[in-house]
Amino acid sequence: MPAKKGKKKDAMDPVEFEAKDNLRRAEAEIFSLQRQLDVAGQEMQYAREHEREWRERLDAFGLAMEQQRENTLDIMWVQNLR
């Protein structure tokens, strides 16, 4: 068999090593940012749900107050008839 020409690459080229290291860091950063985005999205959804619940409660209290006001006016009107 003929001998192989050229030298064997046992060690990685410094430029190639740096490029792979930069790629690994970038992938880790992307993963971290995606995770932060997921968490922020979950927090936003949670906040929207609670805001909706509070608005529904506020509407219910407003309706209850209006009903109470009408009842009070009815009572006052009946008392004035006596």
Side-chain angles (χ1 to χ4, degrees), residues 34-48:
Q34 286 174 334
R35 184 75 181 129
Q36 289 176 2
L37 184 61
D38 290 344
V39 169
Q42 291 171 354
E43 289 174 349
M44 190 181 315
Q45 182 180 3
Y46 179 79
R48 284 180 181 157

Side-chain angles (χ1 to χ4, degrees), residues 10-24:
D10 287 336
M12 192 181 293
D13 182 26
V15 174
E16 185 180 347
F17 177 79
E18 185 177 349
K20 286 186 178 184
D21 191 46
N22 288 341
L23 178 61
R24 182 189 53 78

